């Protein structure tokens, strides 16, 4: 007869079987999530609470403002007078802002605010305070070893306080008075009482535990440098400064002071150049004033001596022309001197701080003025970069090459300009000489007067020229303004770190991961087998019966006899049916009942299974071969037996003598008898096989109750004498690990005809009976060859 083809159903990605597995895992382990997640959330909340917030303050500055164009075109500005303008290298300015010197100037300005940190110590965490403290510590001097050390501070009353600190492992305590110096060999400080400390607040403030620490200047500078971040947005001359600090008010104050100090540092060089120019003009004016006074005295003496009152128009004409040429000659000579000074300055490579300002007096604009300004600016930049970078830095090398090129161009220009100027002087000398020769025709008195007046006119012209330059220089000083503009004033940008939400999420994630790990371990190794579906998924061993969960007291008797219409009685009848069908081929009549662990219900199963077999009209006997801990006699209401298997093996009684009848028809028992000191040796006796064989001859069914196979090897040894064996699993104790160990025993000992009974099922329903019957038709189950498909 041809077999009927079975139509295979398509399986979805997630089957009902998978869904049921997930539901079983969740229903068995939901309490783990309920415990672990709140615990981790609580730990994370406490951890986050103890963390200190780090705030970020920011400001933005523009290095070249739009006002530059105005100052460059204004005739009164220093930019037009000095030609002060240079390319701003944002990278260099970033290094300047992060330099030690600039940070040191900020610290010096804010030393009273930054040198001492104040703390309030709470039960859980310590918080730093800035401002609004009831006292202020002023440090006059301190031993460097006590920098960064924590001092405990207690307010005793409105006048007195106490300071404690550690020295050499010992605690030192000092008492002091507010607003008075506290002198110690290690420090000298003053503690000022602030307005917040008064009679109203005294009691509350006394209960607060304060601490403070004193910082060194280097510590404060390093702290600013390490927490200062500078960014330059692309294609802009804007610098964005960000400073991190646990106190936002302090960060804003430091950035504000940094802006001021940086702006002032950029003005210093320009002010110094202006001042040196004024000093030079004043020296020249002093010399010319003395010369004018001397000429006036000479003129007066000469007139008195020669009795000269006035000169005619010709004399005035000669005097005017000669004076004009002499004035031009003096200016040219001043220019030659300036050339010599500048050439010496370039060749001798003098410090840029001593740039001779005469070049600005002689020439207002033109190539030389621009080139000198460029040289001066580059040397200033070189000095600044030398303080921050090594000589091998490419920027330093490029700047040196540029300076050398500028010097070479200036020297060439000076040489050519000197030649041209000397030629002009020679031409003027010729013109003056021609007018002097013509003046020789004038009488000697008039000629002497002309010489004196000419010298006076020359000195007056130079005096007026220098006065004009001095006035312009002073006016230009007033127009010197910072070439930076505050685009965005320092402000608190909020919390930078830590990200408490992420940390809390990480704790919850860690709790979830730990929960998953725990659930996975429980599922893989410790999950109890609660349902038939779980057992079916975990093993291929045939399941021939399921028994409902009973109260412990109900499992001690013969429940099938006491409650024949109960669920458990029906379950045992179902077990009897499945047992018969599963062994239909080998006509099995001897069954060994055991379990892997004690307390799984093997004795309960063996006695009640024997009872339902007897009620079916089959002569059935129970062999109590759990010689270590016999208990079957209690189930039949008997006391300890003095006759049984052990007495048969020792030869004290015969086979018929050890057979005991019960209150149930067709059901007999061969009790264990007295418990021997070496039960396992009795199991190995050849007479044990003899009693089992006789039981097979005299009874339709033989049920053998044995010790747990996971603890003792007796049951494994006895399997060789039976037709089939039944392992009882209990939902309270059986796990995947138990099942794996059981399969390992079966595999290692090459056991056949092994079946399972699942005991302790909650809410046993009819579907379990049907599932059980389904198993009974798979003949291969009885032989342990594998599980066949049901429902075919």
């Amino acid at each position: 007869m041809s077999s009927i083809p079975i139509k295979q159903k398509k399986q979805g990605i997630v089957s009902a079987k998978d869904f049921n597995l997930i539901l079983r895992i969740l229903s068995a382990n939901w309490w783990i999530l309920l415990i672990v997640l709140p615990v981790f959330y609580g730990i994370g909340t406490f951890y986050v609470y103890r963390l200190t917030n780090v705030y970020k303050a920011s400001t933005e500055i523009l290095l070249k403002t739009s006002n530059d164009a105005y100052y460059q075109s204004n005739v009164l500005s220093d930019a037009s007078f000095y030609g002060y303008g240079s390319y701003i290298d944002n990278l260099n300015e970033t290094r300047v802002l992060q330099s030690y010197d600039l940070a040191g100037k900020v610290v010096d300005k804010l030393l009273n605010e930054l040198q001492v940190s104040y703390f309030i110590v709470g039960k859980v965490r310590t918080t730093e305070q800035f401002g609004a403290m009831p006292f202020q510590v002023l440090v006059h001097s301190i031993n460097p070893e006590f920098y960064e050390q924590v001092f405990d501070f207690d307010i005793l009353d409105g006048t007195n306080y106490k300071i404690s600190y550690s020295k050499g492992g010992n605690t030192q305590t000092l008492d002091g008075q507010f607003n008075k110096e506290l002198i110690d060999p290690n420090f000298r400080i003053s503690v000022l009482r602030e307005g917040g400390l008064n009679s109203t607040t005294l009691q509350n403030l006394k209960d607060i535990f304060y601490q403070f620490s004193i910082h060194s200047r280097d510590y404060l500078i390093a702290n600013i440098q390490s927490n200062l971040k500078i960014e330059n947005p692309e294609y802009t001359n804007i610098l964005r400064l960000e400073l991190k600090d646990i106190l936002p008010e302090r960060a804003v104050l430091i950035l504000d002071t940094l802006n001021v100090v940086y702006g002032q540092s950029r003005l210093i060089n320009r002010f110094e150049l202006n001042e040196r120019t004024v000093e030079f003009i004043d020296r020249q004016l002093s010399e010319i004033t003395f010369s004018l006074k001397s000429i006036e005295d000479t003129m007066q003496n000469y007139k008195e001596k020669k009795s000269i009152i006035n000169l005619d128009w010709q004399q005035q004409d000669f005097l005017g022309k000669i004076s004009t040429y002499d004035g031009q000659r003096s200016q040219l000579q001043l220019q030659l001197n300036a050339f010599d000074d500048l050439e010496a300055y370039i060749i001798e490579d003098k410090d840029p701080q001593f740039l001779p300002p005469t070049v600005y007096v002689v020439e207002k604009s033109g190539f030389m003025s621009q080139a000198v300004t460029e040289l001066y600016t580059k040397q200033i930049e070189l000095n600044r970069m030398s303080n921050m970078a090594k000589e091998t830095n490419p920027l330093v090398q490029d700047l040196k090459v540029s300076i050398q090129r500028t010097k070479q161009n200036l020297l060439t220009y000076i040489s050519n300009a000197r030649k041209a100027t000397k030629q002009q002087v020679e031409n003027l000398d010729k013109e003056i000489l021609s007018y002097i020769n013509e003046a020789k025709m004038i009488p000697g008195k008039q000629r002497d007067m002309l010489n004196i007046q000419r010298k006076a006119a020359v000195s007056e012209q130079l005096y007026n020229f220098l006065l004009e330059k001095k006035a312009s220089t002073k006016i230009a000083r007033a127009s010197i303004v910072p070439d930076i503009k505050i685009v965005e004033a320092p402000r608190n940008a909020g919390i930078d770190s830590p990200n408490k939400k992420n940390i809390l999420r990480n704790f919850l994630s860690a709790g979830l991961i730990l929960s998953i790990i725990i659930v996975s371990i429980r599922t893989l190794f410790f999950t109890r087998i609660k349902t038939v579906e779980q057992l079916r998924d975990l093993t291929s061993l045939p399941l021939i019966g399921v028994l409902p969960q009973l109260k412990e007291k109900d499992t001690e008797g013969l429940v099938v006899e006491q409650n024949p219409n109960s669920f458990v009685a029906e379950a045992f009848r179902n077990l009897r049916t499945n047992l018969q069908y599963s062994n239909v081929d080998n006509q099995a009549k001897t069954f060994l009942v055991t379990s892997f662990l004690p307390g799984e219900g093997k004795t309960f199963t063996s006695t009640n299974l024997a009872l339902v077999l007897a009620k079916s009209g089959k002569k059935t006997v129970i062999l109590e071969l759990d010689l270590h801990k016999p208990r079957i006699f209690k189930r039949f209401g008997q006391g300890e037996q003095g006759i049984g298997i052990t007495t048969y093996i020792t030869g004290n009684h015969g086979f018929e003598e050890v057979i005991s009848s019960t209150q149930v028809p067709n059901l007999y028992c061969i009790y264990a008898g007295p418990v021997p000191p070496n039960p396992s040796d009795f199991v190995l006796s050849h007479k044990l096989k003899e009693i089992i064989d006789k039981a097979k001859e005299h009874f339709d069914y033989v049920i053998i109750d044995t010790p747990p196979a996971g603890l003792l090897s007796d049951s494994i040894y006895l399997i060789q004498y039976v037709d089939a064996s039944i392992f009882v699993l209990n939902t309270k104790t059986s796990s995947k690990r138990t099942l794996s160990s059981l399969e390992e025993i079966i595999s290692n000992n090459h056991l056949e005809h092994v079946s399972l009974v699942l005991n302790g099922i909650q809410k046993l329903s009819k579907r379990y009976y049907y599932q059980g019957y389904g198993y009974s038709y798979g003949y291969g189950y009885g032989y342990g060859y594998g599980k066949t498909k049901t429902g075919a």
Side-chain angles (χ1 to χ4, degrees):
M1 179 177 180
S2 61
S3 61
I4 301 173
I6 299 173
K7 184 177 181 181
Q8 298 290 337
K9 293 183 179 180
K10 277 192 173 181
Q11 292 276 346
I13 297 177
V14 179
S15 64
K17 179 180 177 182
D18 298 330
F19 186 72
N20 290 333
L21 175 61
I22 294 173
L23 285 181
R24 285 201 305 269
I25 293 174
L26 290 178
S27 62
N29 300 280
W30 60 268
W31 56 273
I32 295 177
L33 291 171
L34 195 62
I35 294 175
V36 174
L37 289 182
V39 168
F40 269 75
Y41 182 81
I43 296 173
T45 302
F46 180 75
Y47 176 78
V48 165
Y49 176 76
R50 286 182 55 87
L51 290 177
T52 300
N53 290 332
V54 177
Y55 295 86
K56 178 172 64 178
S58 64
T59 183
E60 291 186 358
I61 58 176
L62 179 63
L63 296 182
K64 288 187 82 174
T65 69
S66 58
N67 294 330
D68 290 346
Y70 168 75
Y71 291 114
Q72 289 173 0
S73 62
N74 191 335
V75 295
L76 299 179
S77 71
D78 69 316
S80 63
F81 184 71
Y82 302 112
Y84 190 87
S86 63
Y87 170 73
I88 297 179
D89 189 340
N90 293 332
L91 179 60
N92 290 338
E93 295 305 315
T94 299
R95 294 293 299 274
V96 170
L97 283 165
Q98 292 178 320
S99 66
Y100 180 91
D101 291 341
L102 202 64
K105 292 177 181 178
V106 173
V107 171
D108 294 339
K109 278 184 171 290
L110 301 175
L111 192 60
N112 288 339
E113 289 82 0
L114 302 181
Q115 189 174 18
V116 181
S117 293
Y118 304 91
F119 305 90
I120 293 180
V121 181
K123 294 181 179 179
V124 179
R125 64 176 179 175
T126 299
T127 56
E128 185 175 356
Q129 305 293 315
F130 186 73
M133 291 292 291
F135 62 91
Q136 180 184 6
V137 178
L138 297 180
V139 182
H140 306 299
S141 61
I142 185 172
N143 185 338
E145 294 181 0
F146 287 85
Y147 281 130
E148 320 313 328
Q149 179 166 325
V150 176
F151 294 80
D152 297 334
F153 187 91
D154 294 313
I155 298 175
L156 302 179
D157 51 47
T159 306
N160 302 297
Y161 61 85
K162 181 176 70 175
I163 290 179
S164 303
Y165 64 94
S166 177
K167 180 182 179 183
N170 299 319
T171 301
Q172 306 290 329
T173 303
L174 298 174
D175 294 328
Q177 293 183 345
F178 289 108
N179 302 329
K180 291 185 178 181
E181 283 192 0
L182 178 63
I183 300 176
D184 184 80
N186 298 304
F187 53 81
R188 183 169 64 90
I189 63 174
S190 297
V191 180
L192 306 181
R193 183 174 59 187
E194 298 295 327
L197 179 58
N198 50 53
S199 58
T200 306
T201 61
L202 178 61
Q203 188 57 44
N204 292 332
L205 296 177
K206 286 172 62 177
D207 297 333
I208 299 176
F209 181 30
Y210 296 99
Q211 290 180 338
F212 69 86
S213 62
I214 301 172
H215 307 298
S216 65
R217 184 175 183 270
D218 287 341
Y219 172 86
L220 295 173
I221 293 173
N223 191 48
I224 292 176
Q225 288 181 305
S226 61
N227 291 301
L228 180 64
K229 179 183 178 182
I230 302 176
E231 295 179 346
N232 176 212
E234 197 172 4
Y235 308 119
T236 68
N237 271 341
I238 292 177
L239 293 182
R240 178 178 177 83
L241 283 66
E242 295 179 350
L243 183 66
K244 296 179 182 179
D245 200 317
I246 61 176
L247 298 171
E249 301 88 353
R250 183 167 61 192
V252 170
L253 179 62
I254 292 174
L255 281 184
D256 188 53
T257 307
L258 181 62
N259 286 342
V260 173
V261 170
Y262 177 60
Q264 291 175 348
S265 68
R266 292 179 65 86
L267 294 176
I268 290 175
N269 292 332
R270 299 162 72 183
F271 278 121
E272 288 179 352
L273 180 59
N274 184 283
E275 289 172 0
R276 287 196 300 273
T277 302
V278 172
E279 290 173 1
F280 174 78
I281 293 175
D282 286 339
R283 289 196 302 269
Q284 297 297 318
L285 286 173
S286 178
E287 294 176 2
I288 294 173
T289 300
F290 179 79
S291 177
L292 280 173
K293 189 176 182 304
S294 175
I295 292 172
E296 289 174 356
D297 291 343
T298 302
M299 174 70 77
Q300 185 64 30
N301 293 334
Y302 187 80
K303 284 182 178 181
E304 291 177 356
K305 183 178 180 181
K306 300 297 183 178
S307 301
I308 298 174
I309 299 175
N310 196 5
L311 299 172
D312 57 20
W313 67 270
Q314 188 177 14
Q315 292 171 345
Q316 293 293 339
D317 182 61
F318 286 158
L319 177 63
K321 291 180 178 179
I322 293 174
S323 296
T324 299
Y325 290 138
D326 258 349
Q328 294 178 4
R329 186 180 185 279
S330 297
Q331 291 187 23
L332 291 174
Q333 190 61 44
L334 183 62
Q335 188 170 349
L336 287 173
N337 293 337
F339 290 156
D340 294 337
D341 290 344
L342 182 58
E343 186 179 63
Y345 164 80
I346 295 173
I347 294 174
E348 295 174 7
D349 197 15
K350 291 185 176 180
D351 188 89
Q353 301 293 332
F354 301 99
L355 176 64
T358 54
V359 65
Y360 299 112
V361 176
V362 176
E363 183 176 323
K364 295 182 180 179
S365 61
F367 171 80
M368 186 171 68
S369 178
Q370 295 177 359
V372 169
T373 301
E374 181 182 357
L375 175 61
Y376 176 77
T377 303
K378 290 179 178 179
Q379 288 182 320
I380 290 295
E381 184 66 16
L382 179 61
N383 285 348
R384 291 171 62 188
M385 292 182 64
S386 298
N387 293 330
M388 298 181 293
K390 297 182 178 180
E391 288 291 326
T392 57
N393 190 294
L395 293 175
V396 175
Q397 296 296 325
D398 292 344
L399 193 55
K400 284 185 176 181
V401 171
S402 178
I403 290 173
Q404 190 62 34
R405 190 183 303 115
T406 303
K407 286 183 177 182
Q408 185 62 42
N409 293 338
L410 271 173
L411 290 174
T412 303
Y413 178 86
I414 290 170
S415 176
N416 295 333
R418 184 188 289 114
K419 292 179 183 180
T421 304
K422 286 182 178 180
Q423 185 62 45
Q424 292 178 8
V425 171
E426 291 177 4
N427 293 338
L428 288 174
D429 287 340
K430 291 179 181 179
E431 292 291 333
I432 293 170
L433 182 59
S434 66
Y435 279 102
I436 291 175
N437 290 333
E438 291 180 5
K440 287 181 180 180
M441 305 299 296
I442 303 173
K445 292 181 180 180
Q446 292 179 340
R447 187 171 61 252
D448 293 340
M449 286 290 297
L450 287 175
N451 287 334
I452 295 173
Q453 290 176 355
R454 177 172 56 82
K455 292 179 179 180
V458 170
S459 296
E460 286 178 357
Q461 287 181 357
L462 186 55
Y463 185 83
N464 292 332
F465 171 75
L466 292 174
L467 281 178
E468 178 186 353
K469 288 301 179 182
K470 181 177 180 180
S472 299
T473 303
K474 289 187 174 181
I475 294 172
R477 180 182 180 87
S479 69
I480 297 177
V481 294
D483 55 354
I484 66 170
K485 180 179 180 181
I486 306 299
V487 178
E488 184 180 284
R491 63 180 181 86
N492 178 15
I495 297 176
D496 180 73
S497 63
N499 190 328
K500 295 186 177 181
K501 290 184 178 179
N502 281 346
I503 293 175
L504 203 54
R505 279 196 292 268
N506 291 338
F507 269 94
L508 287 174
S509 299
L512 182 61
I513 292 172
L514 180 60
S515 301
I516 294 173
I517 292 174
I518 294 174
V519 170
S520 300
I521 293 174
R522 279 174 48 82
T523 302
L524 292 175
F525 302 104
F526 302 103
T527 298
R528 301 290 180 259
I529 300 173
K530 297 291 185 180
T531 65
V532 172
E533 290 81 1
Q534 284 181 269
L535 186 60
R536 183 185 297 120
D537 292 338
L538 295 175
T539 184
S540 60
L541 294 173
L543 176 65
I544 62 172
V546 291
L547 303 177
Q549 183 178 5
L550 299 177
K551 294 180 181 179
E552 186 174 355
K553 63 179 182 178
D554 295 335
T555 63
E556 296 299 325
L558 303 174
V559 294
V560 175
E561 178 68 17
Q562 296 165 357
N563 298 291
N565 296 322
S566 63
F567 273 125
V568 64
E570 185 63 29
F572 273 106
R573 284 191 284 270
N574 185 59
L575 172 61
R576 178 191 62 193
T577 303
N578 290 340
L579 187 65
Q580 292 171 343
Y581 277 104
S582 64
N583 295 278
V584 68
D585 287 347
N586 65 343
Q587 297 295 320
K589 58 184 299 184
T590 307
F591 300 98
L592 181 145
V593 181
T594 186
S595 63
F596 187 78
L597 298 173
E600 293 194 278
K602 64 175 182 59
T603 303
F604 168 73
T605 303
S606 60
T607 54
N608 284 279
L609 175 61
L611 193 149
V612 296
L613 288 172
K615 283 185 172 294
S616 67
K618 300 296 183 179
K619 191 176 180 183
T620 306
V621 65
I622 302 174
L623 269 67
E624 188 178 23
L625 281 178
D626 187 354
L627 303 180
H628 297 266
K629 194 176 181 181
R631 291 192 306 174
I632 289 181
F633 63 88
K634 294 181 180 180
R635 295 182 179 274
F636 289 96
Q638 303 295 322
E640 291 187 3
Q641 301 296 306
I643 300 176
I645 294 175
T646 56
T647 59
Y648 176 84
I649 293 175
T650 57
N652 294 332
H653 298 92
F655 179 73
E656 290 77 8
E657 293 177 297
V658 297
I659 299 174
S660 300
S661 61
T662 68
Q663 63 268 34
V664 179
N666 295 324
L667 180 59
Y668 300 87
C669 285
I670 301 178
Y671 297 111
V675 177
N678 53 343
S680 296
D681 292 342
F682 278 70
V683 172
L684 300 176
S685 172
H686 69 280
K687 296 201 70 175
L688 181 63
K689 182 178 183 302
E690 180 181 304
I691 195 172
I692 294 174
D693 291 340
K694 288 184 177 181
K696 291 180 181 180
E697 294 174 2
H698 291 80
F699 295 93
D700 296 324
Y701 286 104
V702 179
I703 307 298
I704 301 176
D705 183 67
T706 62
L711 299 180
L712 299 169
S713 61
D714 295 8
S715 57
I716 304 301
Y717 177 79
L718 292 172
I719 288 178
Q720 62 182 313
Y721 300 140
V722 301
D723 300 323
S725 55
I726 301 170
F727 279 83
V728 179
L729 302 177
N730 196 297
T731 58
K732 292 182 179 179
T733 57
S734 296
S735 63
K736 181 179 179 181
R737 192 173 180 181
T738 303
L739 198 58
S740 298
S741 300
L742 176 59
E743 289 180 335
E744 185 177 355
I745 290 174
I746 294 172
S747 174
N748 292 340
N749 293 277
H750 307 290
L751 304 181
E752 296 182 352
H753 314 304
V754 177
S755 302
L756 302 179
V757 170
L758 185 58
N759 184 23
I761 293 291
Q762 294 182 356
K763 299 179 181 180
L764 188 64
S765 61
K766 291 182 178 180
R767 68 188 181 95
Y768 283 107
Y769 300 134
Y770 297 132
Q771 288 173 348
Y773 282 115
Y775 279 102
S776 66
Y777 290 103
Y779 294 112
Y781 290 174
Y783 296 92
Y785 295 145
K787 185 166 61 177
T788 62
K789 296 287 183 180
T790 61

